[in-house]
Amino acid sequence: MKVLCTRKLPVQQISGSRAFGFLDLLVQSITLFPALMALLTFPHFSSHFLSRSSFPNIHSFSPTRRYCSIKATGTAILWFKHDLRTDDHPALLAASTFTSLLPIYVFDRRILSRFSDETLELLLLALQDLRKSLKDRGSDLMIRFGNADSVIQQLATEVKATCVFAEQEVEYELRLIIDVLKQRLKSVGGPQGSPRIELLQTPFYEVKDLQKLPASYGEFKKHRLPVTTPLQLSVSTLPGVEIELDWGEFRGVLPSYDDIKGFMTSSQRKSGENWRLIKEASAETVLRRKALESGDRIERSSNFEQTQSRERSGSVFVTKEGNAVGGGTNNVLNALAAYLRYLEGTARDDWQEVHEKVRAFESRDGASFIGLFGPALSLGIISRRRVYYEAIKYEQERNAGFLSPFGYSAATIAAAVDAVCSMEWYWLMALRNQTNNDGVYSTRIWKWKGFLIEYTVAGEDGPAVLLVHGFGAFWEHYRDNINGLAESGNRVWAITILGFGKSEKPNVVYTELLWAELLRDFIVDVVGEPVHIVGNSIGGYLVAIVAGIWSDLIKSLVLINSAGNVIPSYSFIPLSRVQDRQTSGASWLGSRILLFYLRLRTQELLKKCYPTRVERADDRLINEMLRASYDPGVLVVLESIFSFNLSIPVNFLLEDVKEKVLIIQGMKDPISDSNSKVAMLKEHCDGVIIKELEAGHCPHDEVPERVNTIICEWIIGVESKILVESPV
């Protein structure tokens, strides 16, 4: 059945340039190259240029669109998940062609467990607006609690559904739920046989064959794909449900925030509740508490202040924290209009509040957009292409209908366009990889704070092991460790952290504590039990932070040529706020110089990290590093190098877990003095076990068989000790 036809919307070509006279930075940057290689830095291309260098100009921008539909018989169920809107919703448009329509939202613990408290507030407010919008068109929104696949199967049986519509997903857990639902629907009988499930996506680019899209963003840009226009419902009245249904207690009202929290905790064990509490405290908060309890002084680069938003009527900041735009689609569109018009100023209180938040969130150029609108985009209160449409329409208004090929006329327009184009690219690549998953390992996607994170899993039984790569690498850097550890009786997870490999690279301020919190949440939400955590290079420093702050999540810690310093007799723990890590002109220029240099010298620099087996630095690694260096958002990640804080002492982080620490050190590391490092660890970190290997900076990939044996023997020893110490 042909449901939807969309009209092309060309994409603008934009280019931008900045100039700074930091000659001293050039010298400083060159001296940083060896240190950067210690972090395996192979960054990626900036989101600043993702929509500015490859697309044809727009000389006209028409909001009109064409769509065609065929009236269908029977009942359609429309399952809302992360698409909480009626605006620009292809699945709703398709479902509206049926003679009977039942929209539903299911509060499913498996989905809700990933949401922060503020996101739960935003969810409830979005559902309130969605229900009102549906009621205005003669429909309604059913609310249910439970496993979505089971709930929808029961409803499909009750209403004799013909079809279940839902938006396409890339996150592994949601795809799994959808697959279970597909199987369940086969057992449901109906007037036209078992109901089918139709997954639709809100298209951004006009993609004819997903599998033919290149994996390189540089090659993708050459396709010059047009952007499609947003859709609106063609009917003022939606079909209702033809049979009487039990709508439950939430037909007239929505559940409260306390109802949702109670539902989430009703079946949790005590350990589950403790883990939920672990996620609620930030890494900085726990570190400060830990340092104070041990009598250490905390040094901050500036006074810690909390800014509370002012209470105003009609505010677009609807949660208690007041950090993100929320409510319904119209509320978000109003905030977007204020955001885009930041340079104009305004007398409106609600718009002034948005402008104040822009200034507060603009820790680096363009970061305010994700900070303010990221949750609304993640929940689908507004679509990515609606944001693009509104931004380009406003750009035309500012320029008498003309769109310049030389740049956007406002930084906020550039930030909005860059953000949604970047999000769409990573979403397409995630979907492409999910549907073409025939490699050695299965690729999975996890959504963290709205961002797409890639990982893989191997092994069916045994202790849980989590592998964390170094700066600029990706989970495939453990290519010969994953199966080796799994075949020895372990369940192995390997993750590509935010900003690297094929994981998303949003415009945020990247810090060591941000990545530590990501790893904490991955252990809680995905692995679901304490892990033996392994980290190489900067990844070693990150896992040390996780172990030092949340030791309950860690069975043991394995550091492989880890970054970080041992500081004897330290007297304070240095912490700095995100606001103190604003991008400077120096870091802007330095990141671009480094990117050019590293692209030019990737092969040479990588081979130096494999002194005993140069052939291991093969085309497979080099090509992926070069591919990733063209991803949108890479320069944002690279700029973070200039504000990294690696000064929290490693010996401080290992104090509570040092009896559970294994250190594997490649003694031919060309980046650091391994002999000096080992000596410091032996002197100031009592209880750690150290294994010295004839290898360079990446022993796990240079001599994987040897490292696998060491780690497996280590895990067996730790597990045996745990078994002995466990109460009967």
Side-chain angles (χ1 to χ4, degrees):
M1 177 178 66
K2 194 72 173 178
V3 176
L4 173 66
C5 304
T6 59
R7 182 181 173 188
K8 299 180 182 178
L9 172 66
V11 186
Q12 180 184 15
Q13 180 177 0
I14 287 291
S15 62
S17 62
R18 304 181 187 180
F20 297 93
F22 295 97
L23 296 179
D24 58 328
L25 175 67
L26 176 59
V27 176
Q28 178 188 7
S29 299
I30 292 174
T31 63
L32 282 175
F33 289 145
L36 291 172
M37 277 308 300
L39 302 175
L40 280 180
T41 308
F42 297 92
H44 332 297
F45 199 63
S46 173
S47 64
H48 243 1
F49 299 101
L50 94 95
S51 62
R52 304 186 182 193
S53 59
S54 62
F55 300 115
N57 296 336
I58 298 178
H59 297 290
S60 64
F61 187 97
S62 171
T64 61
R65 82 280 302 156
R66 295 182 293 114
Y67 60 85
C68 47
S69 61
I70 300 174
K71 201 67 178 176
T73 59
T75 298
I77 295 175
L78 177 56
W79 175 23
F80 286 98
K81 303 187 303 299
H82 297 129
D83 50 336
L84 307 181
R85 63 185 186 275
T86 57
D87 174 76
D88 194 24
H89 198 302
L92 175 58
L93 180 64
S96 69
T97 65
F98 282 71
T99 55
S100 176
L101 171 62
L102 175 59
I104 182 172
Y105 182 86
V106 183
F107 286 96
D108 189 319
R109 287 188 185 88
R110 296 167 295 180
I111 300 173
L112 298 177
S113 63
R114 313 296 173 84
F115 292 167
S116 67
D117 288 348
E118 185 172 26
T119 304
L120 285 176
E121 289 183 73
L122 291 171
L123 168 66
L124 286 171
L125 291 164
L127 289 173
Q128 179 179 324
D129 182 81
L130 176 61
R131 171 175 275 178
K132 180 181 182 302
S133 182
L134 290 169
K135 282 187 172 182
D136 288 345
R137 290 177 169 84
S139 184
D140 203 345
L141 180 67
M142 177 174 280
I143 299 295
R144 285 285 188 269
F145 286 79
N147 289 347
D149 46 283
S150 177
V151 169
I152 294 174
Q153 178 198 17
Q154 293 171 10
L155 279 175
T157 302
E158 189 174 353
V159 302
K160 297 180 172 55
T162 304
C163 188
V164 175
F165 286 96
E167 191 168 66
Q168 179 70 275
E169 299 284 352
V170 295
E171 189 177 2
Y172 174 76
E173 289 296 335
L174 275 169
R175 290 174 65 86
L176 199 61
I177 293 171
I178 291 170
D179 286 343
V180 172
L181 175 58
K182 287 180 180 178
Q183 294 302 314
R184 284 180 174 272
L185 290 178
K186 291 180 180 179
S187 65
V188 176
Q192 301 177 28
S194 298
R196 67 186 187 278
I197 184 165
E198 295 283 349
L199 302 177
L200 283 77
Q201 67 187 73
T202 303
F204 190 93
Y205 299 112
E206 189 171 272
V207 178
K208 295 181 179 179
D209 188 346
L210 185 66
Q211 296 305 321
K212 290 184 179 179
L213 282 183
S216 166
Y217 185 69
E219 292 299 315
F220 173 76
K221 290 188 295 183
K222 295 177 183 178
H223 283 55
R224 299 176 178 269
L225 296 176
V227 175
T228 58
T229 54
L231 295 167
Q232 289 183 348
L233 282 173
S234 60
V235 295
S236 58
T237 303
L238 291 169
V241 184
E242 294 181 338
I243 67 172
E244 286 294 325
L245 291 172
D246 178 10
W247 287 73
E249 60 180 306
F250 297 113
R251 177 161 195 174
V253 296
L254 283 171
S256 67
Y257 176 82
D258 290 338
D259 290 333
I260 306 304
K261 296 296 285 187
F263 169 69
M264 291 294 294
T265 59
S266 61
S267 64
Q268 284 183 333
R269 298 170 300 177
K270 185 176 179 180
S271 60
E273 176 69 10
N274 290 339
W275 279 39
R276 184 184 64 80
L277 294 174
I278 284 174
K279 286 182 60 177
E280 290 180 355
S282 70
E284 180 182 339
T285 299
V286 181
L287 265 178
R288 294 177 76 244
R289 186 192 309 135
K290 178 180 171 67
L292 290 171
E293 288 173 352
S294 61
D296 298 312
R297 182 165 57 89
I298 301 170
E299 189 166 285
R300 300 293 298 268
S301 58
S302 62
N303 293 331
F304 179 76
E305 298 176 357
Q306 275 194 320
T307 303
Q308 293 183 338
S309 61
R310 295 186 305 194
E311 292 292 332
R312 290 174 170 159
S313 64
S315 173
V316 296
F317 298 95
V318 292
T319 64
K320 291 179 181 178
E321 292 186 18
N323 290 328
V325 172
T329 302
N330 289 336
N331 205 46
V332 176
L333 284 171
N334 178 43
L336 179 63
Y339 179 85
L340 295 172
R341 291 160 178 79
Y342 175 75
L343 293 179
E344 295 181 7
T346 180
R348 292 177 52 172
D349 284 351
D350 56 342
W351 283 23
Q352 284 182 12
E353 188 179 20
V354 173
H355 294 176
E356 289 174 6
K357 293 289 187 178
V358 170
R359 291 188 286 273
F361 274 89
E362 197 74 352
S363 53
R364 53 157 287 107
D365 291 347
S368 58
F369 180 81
I370 289 297
L372 298 177
F373 295 94
L377 283 162
S378 180
L379 290 172
I381 302 171
I382 188 172
S383 69
R384 294 190 286 271
R385 69 175 176 182
R386 174 62 69 184
V387 171
Y388 182 90
Y389 173 85
E390 296 297 331
I392 296 299
K393 184 173 70 171
Y394 174 59
E395 176 70 7
Q396 281 192 311
E397 292 173 3
R398 286 178 59 86
N399 295 282
F402 176 73
L403 293 175
S404 169
F406 301 108
Y408 294 114
S409 60
T412 49
I413 297 174
V417 170
D418 286 353
V420 294
C421 289
S422 177
M423 293 171 72
E424 184 67 16
W425 158 255
Y426 288 108
W427 193 92
L428 282 173
M429 289 302 99
L431 182 62
R432 176 180 177 273
N433 292 339
Q434 294 281 306
T435 56
N436 190 27
N437 209 348
D438 55 359
V440 178
Y441 305 104
S442 63
T443 299
R444 298 182 181 182
I445 299 295
W446 170 56
K447 187 181 286 187
W448 183 71
K449 296 187 176 182
F451 306 126
L452 304 179
I453 307 297
E454 191 175 80
Y455 71 100
T456 193
V457 182
E460 300 294 332
D461 300 297
V465 182
L466 174 59
L467 307 177
V468 182
H469 60 82
F471 196 100
F474 29 82
W475 70 255
E476 292 95 333
H477 201 206
Y478 288 99
R479 52 189 171 172
D480 291 328
N481 308 108
I482 296 170
N483 275 346
L485 296 174
E487 290 169 358
S488 297
N490 302 291
R491 287 172 299 135
V492 183
W493 283 260
I495 185 174
T496 299
I497 61 176
L498 191 74
F500 303 106
K502 295 186 181 73
S503 288
E504 199 164 341
K505 302 167 185 65
N507 189 351
V508 299
V509 179
Y510 292 88
T511 70
E512 64 288 341
L513 297 186
L514 173 81
W515 283 315
E517 289 175 359
L518 181 150
L519 294 174
R520 171 201 65 190
D521 292 351
F522 186 82
I523 295 169
V524 172
D525 292 339
V526 180
V527 180
E529 63 181 270
V531 299
H532 299 275
I533 192 167
V534 181
N536 169 238
S537 191
I538 188 64
Y541 188 68
L542 300 181
V543 302
I545 294 175
V546 174
I549 299 178
W550 304 288
S551 58
D552 287 348
L553 302 180
I554 306 301
K555 283 186 172 180
S556 77
L557 178 64
V558 181
L559 306 179
I560 304 177
N561 284 67
S562 175
N565 299 310
V566 175
I567 303 177
S569 304
Y570 58 86
S571 58
F572 65 90
I573 306 303
L575 296 175
S576 60
R577 299 181 307 167
V578 170
Q579 294 92 324
D580 301 324
R581 306 195 192 194
Q582 294 188 2
T583 302
S584 65
S587 62
W588 186 93
L589 178 60
S591 63
R592 283 146 182 83
I593 294 171
L594 291 175
L595 179 60
F596 175 79
Y597 177 85
L598 291 169
R599 282 181 182 164
L600 191 66
R601 304 286 297 277
T602 293
Q603 183 173 3
E604 175 188 343
L605 294 171
L606 184 60
K607 288 183 180 295
K608 288 182 179 179
C609 290
Y610 292 76
T612 69
R613 296 180 67 188
V614 178
E615 70 278 5
R616 291 289 294 173
D618 55 20
D619 290 344
R620 180 179 170 189
L621 276 182
I622 293 167
N623 290 340
E624 175 55 22
M625 289 174 174
L626 287 173
R627 184 213 64 77
S629 76
Y630 290 90
D631 275 352
V634 65
L635 281 172
V636 177
V637 186
L638 184 52
E639 286 172 7
S640 66
I641 289 174
F642 295 88
S643 61
F644 269 168
N645 179 10
L646 303 183
S647 55
I648 302 175
V650 171
N651 40 324
F652 167 78
L653 295 172
L654 301 186
E655 279 182 357
D656 294 338
V657 293
K658 55 189 175 184
E659 299 294 335
K660 304 176 182 178
V661 179
L662 168 66
I663 294 171
I664 300 175
Q665 187 70 27
M667 301 305 291
K668 293 187 175 183
D669 191 336
I671 308 305
S672 62
D673 184 348
S674 291
N675 289 315
S676 174
K677 192 164 195 173
V678 168
M680 291 292 287
L681 288 165
K682 288 180 177 178
E683 183 176 357
H684 300 286
C685 298
D686 295 336
V688 303
I689 304 298
I690 300 176
K691 298 288 186 180
E692 301 177 14
L693 296 179
E694 288 295 303
H697 188 65
C698 313
H700 63 286
D701 194 42
E702 188 174 1
V703 286
E705 299 85 0
R706 179 68 179 129
V707 170
N708 290 348
T709 299
I710 292 173
I711 293 177
C712 287
E713 291 175 351
W714 166 259
I715 291 173
I716 291 172
V718 172
E719 290 289 329
S720 298
K721 188 175 181 181
I722 292 173
L723 186 61
V724 170
E725 294 176 349
S726 297
V728 178

